[in-house]
């Protein structure tokens, strides 16, 4: 439906809430009213008239003009609201509370006007600081021999083998254990033949201390607090028995290992490559640290109120997802995190707008593919499901926020501990990179569109004669049939 000219005014009720007052004359609403008459004419049965051909005056007599006006207003309101939002420039959040205060004449002469108000939460006004005045300090990058040896040790562990030993278990050993937990006289859990690395700290509190020093066939008992299941939080007595003790035997760090574990022929070449990898990882970590520092500084320097209704709606959705009631105390427990997340979103959205951040189709596709892998889903199924659920714009918004922080970081001076400039362009890109990517994508879209346009042109030429004839025939038939009914 075409946009309707509206007369609208906006009133600020609170810093994050506005009230729109919209007035639409009868003439401007008439297309919606005509549409309502047509729709009702298709639904009613009136002797002497075919469905869809009942005149407006008969509908007024049989159904009532009030029903027509109600139908027209209900259909027109969403579009009228959108037009008023566009005209006033407000940035709404969530659904508005609409109150129709005046409708066109329900009796007598046609005329009058539609007037309604819409109260809605709006985005807070945010003033961004001058990013060029920012200076962020990150660690200097120094790759030590110890860093390289740690990386090499991890690689050797991947190719290590477990060998049984006839001694007591020590930190780092792998043991096979049987467990039995009791609360009072009741056995609440038991496992057999579980493999565990001593010192991992991934099982019960006190487990590592209990196992250390035990040899195969030995048992001990310790007390711990259960962290899962129906008895979570209760004190339990746990009996653990070690069935076997194994240590990891690592391959020697020599040329043979380099050939086995990498594309290199010598251990020196492998060490050189590992040194380069460590350097890249440390630089990547610096980029992450710089990004986090920038966001933290923006949080501290930008103050604005949050729309309470929007926060409450987020908390309500969180509780519903957990199957909890709207008034569950957990709601207040997550309020702080909810407000922090919303504040970050507003800041990053403002950055994206101010920096004119654009998300290309290829970027969005790569993001969706990456997200599908995180969820362990087939990419096509994930994208189709996201599209049906209306989530694609949400993903695009999330990508824009992530990109906005990277683009903002380009405006900031980043130095290391010695005050030397740090180049993070390998991780945050550059404005030139973005411009080149945008041009490449625009060219690809244009190339893809050319064959479609040629196909459409040829289709129009072939079908134009038949289409015109069939259209005229249909119109003539309707006109002929409607004349007797109108009489």
């Amino acid at each position: 439906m075409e946009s309707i000219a509206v007369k609208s005014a906006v009133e600020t009720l609170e810093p994050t809430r506005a009230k729109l007052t919209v007035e639409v004359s009868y003439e401007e609403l008439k297309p919606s009213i005509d549409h309502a008459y047509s729709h009702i004419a298709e639904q009613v049965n009136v002797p002497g008239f075919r469905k869809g051909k009942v005149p407006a005056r008969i509908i007024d007599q049989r159904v009532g003009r009030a029903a027509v006006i109600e139908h027209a207003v209900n259909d027109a309101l969403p579009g009228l609201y959108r037009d008023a939002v566009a005209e006033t420039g407000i940035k709404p959040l969530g659904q508005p509370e609409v109150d129709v205060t005046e409708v066109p004449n329900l009796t007598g002469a046609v005329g009058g006007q539609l007037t309604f108000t819409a109260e809605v939460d709006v985005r807070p006004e945010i003033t961004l600081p001058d990013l060029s005045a920012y200076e962020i300090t990150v660690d200097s990058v120094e790759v030590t021999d110890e860093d390289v040896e740690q990386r090499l040790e991890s690689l050797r562990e991947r190719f290590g083998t477990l060998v049984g030993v006839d001694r007591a278990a020590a930190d780092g050993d792998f043991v096979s254990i049987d467990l039995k937990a009791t609360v009072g006289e009741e056995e609440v859990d038991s496992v057999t033949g579980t493999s565990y690395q001593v010192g991992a700290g991934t099982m019960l509190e006190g487990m590592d201390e209990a196992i250390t020093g035990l040899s195969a066939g030995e048992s001990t008992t310790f007390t711990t607090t259960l962290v899962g299941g129906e008895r979570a939080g209760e004190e339990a007595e746990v009996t653990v028995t070690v069935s076997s003790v194994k240590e990891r035997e690592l391959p020697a760090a020599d040329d043979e290992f380099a050939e086995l574990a990498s594309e290199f022929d010598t251990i020196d070449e492998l060490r050189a490559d590992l040194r380069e990898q460590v350097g890249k990882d440390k630089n990547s970590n610096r980029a992450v640290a710089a990004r986090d520092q920038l966001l933290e500084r923006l949080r501290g320097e930008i103050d604005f109120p949050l729309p309470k209704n929007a926060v409450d709606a987020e908390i309500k959705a969180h509780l519903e997802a957990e199957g909890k009631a709207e008034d569950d105390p957990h709601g207040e427990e997550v309020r702080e995190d909810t407000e922090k997340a919303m504040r970050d979103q507003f800041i990053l959205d403002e950055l994206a707008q101010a920096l004119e951040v654009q998300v290309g189709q290829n970027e969005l596709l790569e993001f969706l593919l990456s997200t599908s892998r995180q969820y362990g889903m087939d990419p096509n199924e994930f994208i189709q499901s996201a599209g049906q659920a209306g989530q694609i714009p949400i993903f695009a918004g999330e990508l824009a926020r992530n990109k906005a922080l990277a683009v903002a970081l380009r405006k900031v001076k980043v130095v290391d501990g010695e005050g030397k400039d740090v180049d993070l362009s390998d991780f945050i890109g550059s404005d030139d990179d973005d411009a080149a990517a945008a041009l490449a994508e625009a060219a690809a879209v244009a190339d893809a569109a050319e064959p479609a346009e040629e196909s459409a042109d040829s289709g129009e030429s072939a079908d134009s004669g038949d289409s015109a004839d069939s259209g005229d025939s249909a119109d003539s038939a309707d006109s002929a049939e409607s004349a007797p009914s109108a009489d």
Side-chain angles (χ1 to χ4, degrees):
M1 189 174 291
E2 293 185 2
S3 174
I4 298 176
V6 299
K7 178 181 178 183
S8 55
V10 61
E11 176 186 357
T12 300
L13 303 178
E14 299 173 10
T16 58
R17 193 162 180 82
K19 178 180 179 180
L20 287 173
T21 300
V22 183
E23 296 179 358
V24 186
S25 69
Y26 182 89
E27 290 73 21
E28 292 163 337
L29 191 62
K30 193 173 185 302
S32 295
I33 295 175
D34 290 343
H35 176 75
Y37 274 117
S38 298
H39 189 268
I40 293 175
E42 295 282 354
Q43 308 299 317
V44 297
N45 292 310
V46 179
F49 298 93
R50 290 186 302 107
K51 278 191 175 183
K53 304 302 179 181
V54 183
R57 58 183 176 79
I58 301 299
I59 292 176
D60 283 349
Q61 294 171 5
R62 295 298 183 93
V63 180
R65 193 188 300 171
V68 177
I69 296 299
E70 180 181 6
H71 189 296
V73 169
N74 287 339
D75 278 355
L77 269 178
L80 295 172
Y81 170 71
R82 287 194 299 270
D83 293 341
V85 166
E87 181 181 304
T88 57
I90 67 170
K91 300 174 182 178
L93 293 168
Q95 295 299 316
E97 296 177 7
V98 176
D99 181 23
V100 177
T101 58
E102 183 181 358
V103 295
N105 298 342
L106 301 181
T107 58
V110 297
Q113 68 176 14
L114 167 66
T115 304
F116 69 91
T117 62
E119 289 191 20
V120 66
D121 282 343
V122 294
R123 287 180 174 270
E125 293 293 328
I126 297 176
T127 302
L128 295 174
D130 179 9
L131 296 176
S132 64
Y134 275 22
E135 180 173 297
I136 289 176
T137 302
V138 294
D139 293 337
S140 300
V141 169
E142 179 185 359
V143 181
T144 66
D145 291 343
E146 183 180 358
D147 293 330
V148 177
E149 291 308 312
Q150 286 180 352
R151 189 66 62 95
L152 179 59
E153 182 80 3
S154 297
L155 186 60
R156 290 170 64 201
E157 287 177 354
R158 288 170 51 190
F159 288 85
T161 55
L162 296 180
V163 179
V165 292
D166 186 17
R167 60 168 173 77
D171 190 53
D173 286 341
F174 291 81
V175 294
S176 178
I177 55 176
D178 300 336
L179 285 174
K180 183 177 70 173
T182 59
V183 175
E185 299 297 325
E186 180 185 359
E187 181 179 315
V188 295
D189 198 9
S190 66
V191 292
T192 303
T194 296
S195 180
Y196 178 70
Q197 185 177 19
V198 181
T202 56
M203 293 187 73
L204 298 169
E205 184 178 352
M207 171 75 76
D208 293 317
E209 294 81 0
I211 293 176
T212 302
L214 293 183
S215 298
E218 294 182 338
S219 302
T220 190
T221 300
F222 65 98
T223 301
T224 189
T225 301
L226 299 177
V227 294
E230 297 179 356
R231 311 302 287 268
E234 295 187 38
E235 291 288 316
E237 188 174 82
V238 179
T239 300
V240 55
T241 301
V242 175
S243 300
S244 65
V245 180
K246 296 180 180 181
E247 66 180 4
R248 181 150 44 194
E249 192 173 87
L250 304 182
D254 53 20
D255 293 347
E256 184 178 347
F257 173 70
E259 292 182 2
L260 171 68
S262 71
E263 62 196 63
F264 304 105
D265 297 326
T266 68
I267 193 66
D268 289 339
E269 290 175 319
L270 176 55
R271 280 194 170 97
D273 182 67
L274 293 176
R275 184 178 293 275
E276 185 177 344
Q277 290 181 29
V278 172
K280 288 180 178 179
D281 289 346
K282 288 194 172 185
N283 270 316
S284 176
N285 291 339
R286 289 204 301 182
V288 173
R291 181 200 63 191
D292 292 346
Q293 284 189 51
L294 174 57
L295 181 55
E296 191 61 36
R297 186 163 176 181
L298 291 172
R299 287 171 180 155
E301 295 186 10
I302 302 176
D303 185 33
F304 55 89
L306 290 176
K308 183 179 182 302
N309 289 349
V311 173
D312 290 343
E314 287 288 330
I315 294 173
K316 180 181 178 181
H318 178 93
L319 293 174
E320 287 178 349
E322 294 185 349
K324 295 185 169 89
E326 186 175 346
D327 58 352
D328 191 285
H330 182 59
E332 288 307 309
E333 295 174 4
V334 300
R335 182 174 293 276
E336 182 177 349
D337 288 341
T338 301
E339 290 179 346
K340 181 179 179 181
M342 185 173 291
R343 191 173 293 278
D344 286 352
Q345 180 177 322
F346 286 148
I347 291 174
L348 296 178
D349 284 344
E350 190 68 25
L351 273 179
Q353 182 176 350
L355 299 174
E356 299 181 345
V357 172
Q358 301 293 325
V359 175
Q361 290 183 357
N362 291 335
E363 288 178 297
L364 179 57
L365 180 59
E366 289 177 7
F367 183 80
L368 292 172
L369 292 175
S370 174
T371 305
S372 70
R373 288 191 291 269
Q374 293 176 15
Y375 285 104
M377 293 181 62
D378 175 77
N380 291 328
E381 291 181 4
F382 176 80
I383 293 173
Q384 183 177 3
S385 176
Q388 292 173 347
Q391 292 180 314
I392 299 297
I394 297 175
F395 286 126
E398 183 178 346
L399 180 56
R401 293 181 199 108
N402 292 337
K403 189 174 179 179
L405 200 53
V407 174
L409 198 54
R410 300 173 194 168
K411 315 296 181 185
V412 174
K413 183 178 179 64
V414 182
V415 298
D416 62 17
E418 299 176 356
K420 298 178 181 178
D421 288 343
V422 174
D423 181 9
L424 299 177
S425 58
D426 286 346
F427 309 97
I428 62 176
S430 68
D431 293 343
D432 290 342
D433 291 339
D434 287 351
L439 285 174
E441 184 160 313
V445 171
D447 290 343
E450 286 180 2
E453 291 174 357
E454 292 173 0
S455 175
D457 291 341
S458 61
E460 287 173 4
S461 300
D463 297 336
S464 57
D466 292 340
S467 298
D469 290 342
S470 60
D472 290 344
S473 299
D475 290 342
S476 300
D478 284 345
S479 300
E481 291 176 2
S482 62
S485 298
D487 295 337

